Amino acid sequence: MISKAIPFKVKLVAYNPQGELVVAIAAKMSRSRHGWEHHLDMPPQEIETWIRDSIIHGYWSVLEHSSYTFSIEGISRVASHQFVRHRIASYTQMSHRFAKPKDEYYKPVVPPSFKDVHGYETTYQEYLRLLNQGVPEEDARYVLPNGVNTNLVVTMNARELYNFFGLRLCTRAQWEIRAVAWLMLDEVKRVHPILFRYAGPNCIIHENFVRPEEDPVSLDQEKVFVSSRCIEGVPREGIWKCIRNSRTILEKIK
Amino acid sequence: MISKAIPFKVKLVAYNPQGELVVAIAAKMSRSRHGWEHHLDMPPQEIETWIRDSIIHGYWSVLEHSSYTFSIEGISRVASHQFVRHRIASYTQMSHRFAKPKDEYYKPVVPPSFKDVHGYETTYQEYLRLLNQGVPEEDARYVLPNGVNTNLVVTMNARELYNFFGLRLCTRAQWEIRAVAWLMLDEVKRVHPILFRYAGPNCIIHENFVRPEEDPVSLDQEKVFVSSRCIEGVPREGIWKCIRNSRTILEKIK
Amino acid sequence: MISKAIPFKVKLVAYNPQGELVVAIAAKMSRSRHGWEHHLDMPPQEIETWIRDSIIHGYWSVLEHSSYTFSIEGISRVASHQFVRHRIASYTQMSHRFAKPKDEYYKPVVPPSFKDVHGYETTYQEYLRLLNQGVPEEDARYVLPNGVNTNLVVTMNARELYNFFGLRLCTRAQWEIRAVAWLMLDEVKRVHPILFRYAGPNCIIHENFVRPEEDPVSLDQEKVFVSSRCIEGVPREGIWKCIRNSRTILEKIK
Amino acid sequence: MISKAIPFKVKLVAYNPQGELVVAIAAKMSRSRHGWEHHLDMPPQEIETWIRDSIIHGYWSVLEHSSYTFSIEGISRVASHQFVRHRIASYTQMSHRFAKPKDEYYKPVVPPSFKDVHGYETTYQEYLRLLNQGVPEEDARYVLPNGVNTNLVVTMNARELYNFFGLRLCTRAQWEIRAVAWLMLDEVKRVHPILFRYAGPNCIIHENFVRPEEDPVSLDQEKVFVSSRCIEGVPREGIWKCIRNSRTILEKIK
């Protein structure tokens, strides 16, 4: 029942296909006297310009007009507890008060650093024993491990996603939520590559606030940083290596 | 240039057509061990049940997974100032620092209670005089009237819309934002009639928290209230008349 | 090391002693042309009236001007995970990535429904074994039980506290966070009895929206409800018994 | 009645004198196994270190545990409309629906760029005429100028203040809200100089994310920037002059 293969799934389940256009029109309308319909036939190149300029100059609020809903299934309660600390987002979580993680639904997450897995099976037997004693589900779950699996429906707008990615793609983020974040980034870049072109860990975000505007940096191409360190203290020379390391988590959990 | 015909437009410009399904699946997933895909073929009747039960029992958070973007054009800065007090929402506003409300773009809102309109034209001449003197746009606008027109792009999720409607459909709300709220309600009910069936002023919302669950009330059909007063102090017997009065604002501004 | 005595502590550690005056002045200033200093000598009776009227009519925003910081020590991660779902609040949590819950700091919470405690000790041995193997702390904690103890610093304003109490004092709330909520209520009522007089589970909050204004209800005195049910479905006759039941959790955990 | 002397007042009216200690203890508790009381006698030097490190590394959430309430009196509705766009804050505003800005209470704000003031008096006469005609206050105010004075009670925590200052101390911010921001900064630095040492326009905030940690920059002392531009596009060499320019607004409005 318990294996080291990582069981979690990250899937973008709802979003507005026109999200990039919506963000670009909103950005333009703050400087225009025309209404929405006037801007509906904005050419792709102009969409790109409005979005790029908004991000490079920190005009984040327009990014709030496009939202994304993910189903994140099989992550541990260690990760879900970290996730819900992001307050500008909407969450619905599988409740262990009502849905028992039993039988094939008990799939606790095993960190890649574990050589073997002992505690999860005995813990599970104790959980069953308590249920059989008549202990309510909401109490019996106290003995389940922190690594126990749960499901989470998460909705975030593009601005909050930039913030979430800034913190959670960073190599200092805990491995599981970091893996989830890289998978979420892949999902949104697939559907809205223009809007998420400059998303990345905070080193990327902050660098784009302080470097020449005509030459922004993204995860797509390594460029020399102006920043002398990232916000976590990694010196200029080590930043790209640090970013590459961060993403290797996806290989470790396959 | 200045007429009493109300110039404002309220248009739903972006939303997810599947929003009702998304909310219903999220509600179900909190009590289920299955993942998103398992629930994708939920029948319409079940969608309705999950949504209704969430609203009647105040389980509002699942309604956050469906968002709506409106373009609200031609409202006064009196109304826009009230609007942006709703903090759980996203706004992009036409800036009078960059977009001059001149010529055909100067269309200040005239309240229905005005018999005639005097001040708006002299104010406008003063605005032009200041601009000609070289006063910057961001300062010249200080003399423009509070009634001056502006445009607003607003994104709210369904939970916040319920809250917004609760406050702003009420007859105690100021007439202009009230008119905007009724028009917004029409827009969302047109596309998501199930999700917004129980939306209404706060008298309706609160009544559904305290009356028999099997008999919820909505704007569609007048029923005797259990509440002895609404939150604004209108006694039980006067509530329906008060609601009907509130909506008549739409006739006054035509 | 592991005992059934509940280890948690709930302590109000920071607040503004003048909070009630601040809320009352804010309420008055929305209707007054005078500045702050004009209102500084408001008599106690008037403070009470402004606060009461704000709550009875759902004019909640003025309650945001008074904030409360609690140190909540020794609760389980089951409870802390629920706690941080309240997004309009500020949290700092003891991190098990940095602070190992070892030796005298391992005090997992034991639900009152447990007849005996087996799993916690073996789990702890497994945790130590992993640490000795060189597994990083942030991974070893995956085997710790959900009931493991943590500390939380929480800041909430009075409006959010009313909302938190509405949900978490209710008998349907999970026992541990419910116990924490009752202890928090005692703390704030001790210092600001006027501001928190009408705080209670949602049955109380909603009842005050629909009953005669001159006769509000509070936890201090049982009165017949106008509501025919509470939002959780308990019928009128059962509500007071339900509230009394809810608070008995404090006796069970002593 | 109408003069160019700026009428507005910015006063810190409520805060917790122990706010710096509260923030420092919260920061420490995330890495400690001890409870609140254990940290109560933290020496001043250590308070400073925890606060500085939190800011330099963007660990902002601990700054949320200290809140500040301001009474801002006599600003224009141009400025108040911008102010309330900051959503992570609490507001109570003088309502022109209930409090008529008449007689000595009509003190519209005159921008320093105005050579003379014409429009405000005729507008006022029109306002009086409408009131005399029986037009309700909430409608008559449509003809009042955008510059009309209002009062605002604002509560923000230290994290949001850093964000507010980042945007509104900047020379690109509109002059009136910029003046208010500089006055607010003076108020909080007076009472909590450690907590607000690194507050400033966004050029300062971002610079501290990318420069050597052991040498942070603040408004107290000009140092050469690592950033090649600020987020608004001002090149490295021009940044300090730009900051000095921004604050000169305080002299212009005396």
Side-chain angles (χ1 to χ4, degrees), chain A residues 45-65:
Chain A
Q45 186 52 51
E46 194 184 340
I47 294 177
E48 198 161 340
T49 303
W50 282 107
I51 288 177
R52 200 193 81 130
D53 282 6
S54 297
I55 294 167
I56 300 307
H57 293 105
Y59 181 34
W60 294 110
S61 62
V62 292
L63 272 75
E64 299 175 20
H65 295 297

Side-chain angles (χ1 to χ4, degrees), chain A:
Chain A
M1 181 164 31
I2 291 155
S3 90
K4 286 199 55 174
I6 293 297
F8 60 74
K9 277 210 305 202
V10 171
K11 212 170 142 46
L12 177 64
V13 294
Y15 70 103
N16 180 351
Q18 300 246 285
E20 294 182 332
L21 177 63
V22 169
V23 169
I25 294 181
K28 188 169 188 180
M29 278 183 69
S30 73
R31 303 200 161 226
S32 162
R33 292 179 292 200
H34 293 289
W36 187 269
E37 277 167 32
H38 182 86
H39 305 291
L40 271 177
D41 55 355
M42 191 185 287
Q45 186 52 51
E46 194 184 340
I47 294 177
E48 198 161 340
T49 303
W50 282 107
I51 288 177
R52 200 193 81 130
D53 282 6
S54 297
I55 294 167
I56 300 307
H57 293 105
Y59 181 34
W60 294 110
S61 62
V62 292
L63 272 75
E64 299 175 20
H65 295 297
S66 189
S67 276
Y68 303 82
T69 301
F70 301 86
S71 187
I72 300 175
E73 303 171 12
I75 57 167
S76 72
R77 278 179 64 98
V78 170
S80 71
H81 198 326
Q82 295 179 312
F83 216 125
V84 299
R85 293 294 299 276
H86 293 268
R87 289 164 292 182
I88 305 182
S90 302
Y91 301 100
T92 306
Q93 185 164 0
M94 170 188 159
S95 170
H96 289 160
R97 293 181 77 185
F98 303 109
K100 282 190 281 286
K102 270 181 60 179
D103 306 329
E104 74 268 32
Y105 298 105
Y106 182 65
K107 290 181 183 166
V109 171
V110 180
S113 65
F114 281 20
K115 294 194 195 103
D116 45 30
V117 187
H118 286 301
Y120 284 169
E121 183 58 34
T122 49
T123 290
Y124 179 63
Q125 294 306 328
E126 174 68 5
Y127 176 63
L128 293 183
R129 191 186 67 88
L130 288 164
L131 290 178
N132 285 337
Q133 269 193 0
V135 168
E137 288 154 33
E138 70 170 29
D139 287 353
R141 69 180 160 152
Y142 275 64
V143 302
L144 287 174
N146 274 327
V148 69
N149 52 303
T150 185
N151 299 334
L152 208 55
V153 178
V154 180
T155 298
M156 283 185 177
N157 63 45
R159 179 189 194 165
E160 179 58 22
L161 279 170
Y162 261 83
N163 177 56
F164 177 80
F165 290 143
L167 291 161
R168 302 301 189 176
L169 296 178
C170 171
T171 191
R172 297 289 169 94
Q174 190 257 352
W175 70 269
E176 189 180 356
I177 198 165
R178 182 154 43 96
V180 170
W182 282 105
L183 293 170
M184 286 167 68
L185 179 65
D186 289 350
E187 285 287 277
V188 293
K189 280 187 113 161
R190 186 171 48 77
V191 300
H192 285 164
I194 296 170
L195 194 47
F196 293 100
R197 173 159 310 152
Y198 302 104
N202 270 331
C203 48
I204 297 281
I205 305 295
H206 295 150
E207 173 69 13
N208 276 331
F209 292 163
V210 304
R211 73 187 278 119
E213 307 175 42
E214 63 281 4
D215 182 34
V217 65
S218 77
L219 289 176
D220 301 339
Q221 193 198 340
E222 303 193 6
K223 295 179 181 177
V224 177
F225 270 56
V226 167
S227 309
S228 74
R229 63 153 177 118
C230 81
I231 198 167
E232 293 287 345
V234 176
R236 182 189 283 128
E237 304 71 34
I239 293 179
W240 282 108
K241 186 174 170 204
C242 184
I243 295 174
R244 287 193 303 270
N245 273 351
S246 174
R247 197 180 157 96
T248 56
I249 185 64
L250 293 186
E251 292 152 32
K252 285 185 202 145
I253 64 171
K254 258 178 203 148

Side-chain angles (χ1 to χ4, degrees), chain D:
Chain D
M1 181 164 32
I2 291 156
S3 90
K4 286 198 55 172
I6 291 298
F8 58 73
K9 278 210 303 204
V10 171
K11 212 170 141 46
L12 177 64
V13 294
Y15 70 102
N16 180 351
Q18 301 246 285
E20 295 182 330
L21 177 62
V22 169
V23 169
I25 294 182
K28 188 169 188 180
M29 277 182 69
S30 74
R31 302 199 163 227
S32 160
R33 291 178 292 200
H34 294 288
W36 187 270
E37 278 167 32
H38 181 86
H39 305 292
L40 271 176
D41 55 356
M42 192 185 286
Q45 187 50 51
E46 193 184 342
I47 294 177
E48 200 161 340
T49 303
W50 282 105
I51 288 177
R52 200 192 80 130
D53 282 7
S54 297
I55 293 167
I56 300 307
H57 293 104
Y59 180 35
W60 294 109
S61 62
V62 291
L63 272 75
E64 298 175 21
H65 295 297
S66 190
S67 276
Y68 303 82
T69 301
F70 301 86
S71 186
I72 299 174
E73 302 171 15
I75 58 166
S76 72
R77 277 180 64 97
V78 170
S80 71
H81 197 327
Q82 294 179 311
F83 215 125
V84 300
R85 293 293 300 278
H86 293 270
R87 290 164 291 182
I88 305 182
S90 301
Y91 302 100
T92 306
Q93 185 165 1
M94 169 187 160
S95 171
H96 289 161
R97 295 180 75 185
F98 303 109
K100 280 189 282 287
K102 270 182 59 180
D103 307 328
E104 74 268 31
Y105 299 104
Y106 182 64
K107 292 181 181 164
V109 172
V110 180
S113 65
F114 280 20
K115 295 197 193 100
D116 45 29
V117 187
H118 287 300
Y120 284 169
E121 182 57 33
T122 50
T123 290
Y124 180 62
Q125 294 305 327
E126 174 68 7
Y127 176 63
L128 293 182
R129 193 186 66 88
L130 287 165
L131 289 178
N132 285 337
Q133 269 192 1
V135 168
E137 290 154 31
E138 70 169 30
D139 287 354
R141 69 179 160 153
Y142 275 64
V143 301
L144 287 174
N146 273 328
V148 69
N149 51 303
T150 185
N151 299 335
L152 207 55
V153 179
V154 181
T155 299
M156 281 185 178
N157 64 45
R159 180 190 193 162
E160 179 57 23
L161 280 170
Y162 261 83
N163 178 56
F164 177 80
F165 291 142
L167 291 160
R168 301 300 187 175
L169 298 177
C170 172
T171 192
R172 299 286 169 95
Q174 191 257 351
W175 70 269
E176 189 180 355
I177 198 165
R178 183 153 43 95
V180 171
W182 282 105
L183 293 170
M184 286 167 67
L185 179 65
D186 289 350
E187 285 286 277
V188 294
K189 279 187 113 160
R190 185 172 49 77
V191 301
H192 286 162
I194 295 170
L195 194 47
F196 291 99
R197 174 159 307 154
Y198 302 103
N202 269 332
C203 48
I204 296 280
I205 306 294
H206 295 151
E207 172 70 13
N208 276 331
F209 292 163
V210 304
R211 72 187 278 119
E213 306 176 43
E214 62 283 3
D215 182 35
V217 66
S218 78
L219 290 176
D220 301 339
Q221 193 198 341
E222 302 193 7
K223 295 179 182 176
V224 178
F225 269 57
V226 166
S227 308
S228 74
R229 62 151 177 119
C230 81
I231 196 166
E232 293 287 345
V234 175
R236 181 189 285 129
E237 304 71 34
I239 293 179
W240 282 109
K241 188 174 169 207
C242 184
I243 295 174
R244 287 192 304 268
N245 274 350
S246 174
R247 196 179 157 98
T248 58
I249 186 63
L250 293 186
E251 292 152 32
K252 284 183 203 147
I253 64 172
K254 259 178 203 148

Side-chain angles (χ1 to χ4, degrees), chain A residues 31-34, chain B residues 1-2 74-75 77 94-108 120-121 123-125 127-128 131 136-138 140-145 147-151, chain D residues 146:
Chain A
R31 303 200 161 226
S32 162
R33 292 179 292 200
H34 293 289
Chain B
M1 179 163 34
I2 292 155
I75 57 166
R77 277 179 64 97
M94 169 187 161
S95 170
H96 289 161
R97 296 180 75 186
F98 302 109
K100 280 190 282 287
K102 270 182 59 179
D103 307 328
E104 74 267 32
Y105 298 105
Y106 182 65
K107 292 180 181 164
Y120 285 169
E121 182 57 32
T123 290
Y124 180 62
Q125 294 304 329
Y127 176 63
L128 292 183
L131 289 179
E137 289 154 33
E138 70 169 31
R141 68 179 160 153
Y142 275 64
V143 302
L144 286 174
V148 70
N149 51 302
T150 185
N151 299 335
Chain D
N146 273 328

Side-chain angles (χ1 to χ4, degrees), chain B residues 64 87 208 211 228-229, chain C residues 64 87 208 210-211 229:
Chain B
E64 299 175 21
R87 290 165 291 183
N208 276 331
R211 73 187 278 117
S228 73
R229 63 154 177 118
Chain C
E64 298 175 21
R87 289 163 293 181
N208 276 331
V210 303
R211 72 187 280 120
R229 64 151 175 120

